[in-house]
């Protein structure tokens, strides 16, 4: 065991497993560990580092804003905060009724959305909240109650009340919904479940049934947002308008920030004093998010994500590994289905080949590279991933 592993084991809370490496610095899609080994980063901090590492736009925004004003509290506002609210409402297509609230993480965004759902109570008549089996919405108590993985919830029971998990089928949705449902939470693609897409027509059906019953449709865009799937937000592939989306991960490009964006009547639910966060929406975080989203727009990275996804999937198919059963996902959120439960071995061999990928579960490798990748990174990925698959298969 190396020194850093011992220090980690001694002092970091046991809730986190031992890390794969101790990283030191990075540039673009490349990151270097403390021992000097350089890796091609096809995970990007789990869909967070949209611009890769140390992008000039990110560095410049942190530096400029930190030297001006980092934090002011909710008793004041700042230009970066106003600008980010306007920007994210515009990118989400929420129109003139759109509003944004900012916090510091994905879980915190979903906590805000949970409270929004409770406010849609029709005088106390709406006590039910629907979410999907296998959903992942975060680790705090409210977001955990929404998470459809019983083994994650069990040690922390009792959960916040009223949440029911239904299978992700249109039939289950139509059988479950009634006028007592306050909200339905969905991920456009279930990232943590192994990059699992919703059935065709599910979001459209969810929009129609929630509207019919007065329930809010709340889309968790924490992993799928900020251009990753080849649209600004995953719901936009379905051409629907939700009542709210939650965002985090990729909108900050490495700066901790999350948020709730509301559409239409959902924008009128929160009243003065009903929600807040000391750090939430501070000028440092919002200035960096503006720079990240601005660079994604300027450099056409949403279109890049749309184009590079199929290119990567073709290259994976061309490897012809018997370990690969197929690929799933959209844009640069890709699940590689394995024919054997060897995802952990594939990750370990990838690390040896200087490639960072993720085991979403035993049977799935998740890829979420930065949106800036081009031909050179994809060529490197194909070579390294082929070697890692071959080594894992040979074990
Ligand atoms: C990561 C994630 C969350 C939780 O975000 P944190 O920032 O880790 O709290 C919630 N929902 C989805 C879909 C996610 O991918």
């Amino acid at each position: 065991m190396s020194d850093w592993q011992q220090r980690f084991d001694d002092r970091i809370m046991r809730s986190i497993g031992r890390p794969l490496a101790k990283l030191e610095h990075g540039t673009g899609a490349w990151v270097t560990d403390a021992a000097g080994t350089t890796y091609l980063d096809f995970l990007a901090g789990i869909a967070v580092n949209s611009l890769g590492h140390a992008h000039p736009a990110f560095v410049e925004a942190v530096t400029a804003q930190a030297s001006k004003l980092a934090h002011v509290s909710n008793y004041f506002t700042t230009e970066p905060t106003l600008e980010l609210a306007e920007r994210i409402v515009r990118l989400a297509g929420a129109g003139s009724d759109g509003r944004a609230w900012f916090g510091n993480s994905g879980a915190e965004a979903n906590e805000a959305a949970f409270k929004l759902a409770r406010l849609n109570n029709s005088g106390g008549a709406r006590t039910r909240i629907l979410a999907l089996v296998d959903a992942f919405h975060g680790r705090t108590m409210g977001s955990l109650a929404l998470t459809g993985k019983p083994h994650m919830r069990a040690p922390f029971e009792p959960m916040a009340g009223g949440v029911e998990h239904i299978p992700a089928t249109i039939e289950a949705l139509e059988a479950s919904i009634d006028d007592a449902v306050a909200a339905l939470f969905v991920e456009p693609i279930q990232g943590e479940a192994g990059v699992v897409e919703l059935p065709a027509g599910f979001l459209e059906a969810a929009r129609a049934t929630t509207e019919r019953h007065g329930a809010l449709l709340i889309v968790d865009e924490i992993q799928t947002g900020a251009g990753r799937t080849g649209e600004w937000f995953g719901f936009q592939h379905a051409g629907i308008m939700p009542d709210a989306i939650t965002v985090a991960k990729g909108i900050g490009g490495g700066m901790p920030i999350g948020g709730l964006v509301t559409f239409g009547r959902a924008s009128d639910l929160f009243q003065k004093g009903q929600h807040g966060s000391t750090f939430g929406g501070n000028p440092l975080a919002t200035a960096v998010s503006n720079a990240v989203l601005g660079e994604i727009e300027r450099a056409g990275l949403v279109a890049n994500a749309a184009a590079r996804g199929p290119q990567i999937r073709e290259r994976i198919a061309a490897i012809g590994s018997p370990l690969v059963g197929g690929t799933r996902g959209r844009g640069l959120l890709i699940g590689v289905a394995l024919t054997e439960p060897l995802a952990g071995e594939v990750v370990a061999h990838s690390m040896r080949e200087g490639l960072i990928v993720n085991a979403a579960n035993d049977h799935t490798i998740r890829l979420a590279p930065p949106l800036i990748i081009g031909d050179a990174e994809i060529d490197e990925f194909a070579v390294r991933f082929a070697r890692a698959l071959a080594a894992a298969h040979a074990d």
Side-chain angles (χ1 to χ4, degrees):
M1 206 191 312
S2 61
D3 178 53
W4 70 262
Q5 287 172 325
Q6 187 65 58
R7 286 167 60 205
F8 188 95
D9 285 1
D10 287 346
R11 214 51 65 210
I12 299 289
M13 198 69 69
R14 291 206 173 101
S15 56
I16 302 172
R18 191 189 286 159
L20 295 164
K22 180 186 167 199
L23 301 176
E24 211 163 73
H25 58 90
T27 177
W30 297 88
V31 65
T32 302
D33 71 13
T37 304
T38 295
Y39 305 87
L40 177 61
D41 185 0
F42 261 46
L43 184 58
I46 318 184
V48 167
N49 303 311
S50 307
L51 304 181
H53 300 283
H55 191 286
F58 182 95
V59 175
E60 149 70 15
V62 172
T63 310
Q65 191 59 44
S67 59
K68 224 164 36 181
L69 196 63
H71 178 82
V72 297
S73 89
N74 294 165
Y75 288 111
F76 303 93
T77 194
T78 63
E79 183 59 26
T81 308
L82 296 171
E83 193 182 317
L84 184 62
E86 289 160 358
R87 183 188 298 269
I88 207 147
V89 162
R90 169 173 60 82
L91 296 177
S96 58
D97 296 326
R99 290 186 181 276
W101 172 86
F102 297 113
N104 311 284
S105 69
E108 206 182 336
N110 282 332
E111 293 292 336
F114 199 131
K115 286 175 75 174
L116 182 80
R118 287 282 199 253
L119 291 174
N120 182 39
N121 61 22
S122 303
R126 296 180 185 275
T127 52
R128 305 174 62 206
I129 291 178
L130 303 183
L132 302 183
V133 169
D134 281 339
F136 180 78
H137 294 296
R139 304 288 203 150
T140 57
M141 289 305 290
S143 63
L144 186 60
L146 295 167
T147 290
K149 295 167 182 272
H151 74 276
M152 280 188 171
R153 295 198 307 268
F156 304 103
E157 297 281 354
M159 291 287 113
V163 181
E164 300 162 49
H165 294 93
I166 62 169
T169 67
I170 295 172
E171 300 73 53
L173 174 63
E174 295 194 330
S176 311
I177 202 156
D178 61 20
D179 291 349
V181 174
L184 166 68
F185 282 79
V186 294
E187 298 158 89
I189 298 172
Q190 294 187 326
E192 300 298 312
V195 192
V196 178
E197 291 167 84
L198 292 170
F202 184 90
L203 272 179
E204 294 87 333
R207 177 65 289 178
T209 46
T210 50
E211 201 152 85
R212 197 165 343 110
H213 290 280
L216 301 178
L217 175 60
I218 301 178
V219 182
D220 181 337
E221 294 278 1
I222 290 164
Q223 194 158 155
T224 47
R228 176 150 298 277
T229 67
E231 289 279 0
W232 274 102
F233 297 100
F235 76 83
Q236 291 166 338
H237 291 283
I240 57 136
M241 285 268 264
D243 296 295
I245 62 172
T246 52
V247 293
K249 291 201 167 102
I251 68 159
M255 175 61 74
I257 184 168
L260 171 68
V261 181
T262 52
F263 298 58
R265 72 175 176 101
S267 293
D268 296 325
L269 288 170
F270 272 118
Q271 299 304 314
K272 185 177 161 185
Q274 286 187 322
H275 199 51
S277 155
T278 297
F279 290 141
N282 88 22
L284 182 58
T286 51
V288 174
S289 183
N290 276 317
V292 169
L293 297 175
E295 179 63 15
I296 293 173
E297 274 192 286
R298 192 202 61 76
L301 298 181
V302 181
N304 194 54
R308 299 301 178 181
Q311 194 183 341
I312 291 171
R313 290 165 71 169
E314 279 163 29
R315 296 296 290 271
I316 293 170
I319 293 169
S321 168
L323 201 48
V324 173
T327 56
R328 300 188 291 263
R330 267 190 199 257
L332 291 176
L333 183 57
I334 299 172
V336 183
L338 302 182
T339 53
E340 291 176 69
L342 293 175
E345 285 78 352
V346 172
V347 167
H349 282 293
S350 294
M351 287 299 286
R352 276 175 219 129
E353 296 296 337
L355 171 67
I356 298 176
V357 298
N358 169 250
N361 56 45
D362 282 357
H363 274 95
T364 311
I365 296 295
R366 173 174 43 181
L367 307 176
L371 309 187
I372 52 156
I373 58 160
D375 289 335
E377 288 84 1
I378 293 173
D379 287 346
E380 272 301 331
F381 163 79
V383 170
R384 294 173 191 223
F385 196 52
R387 286 201 205 114
L389 287 169
H393 191 60
D395 279 353

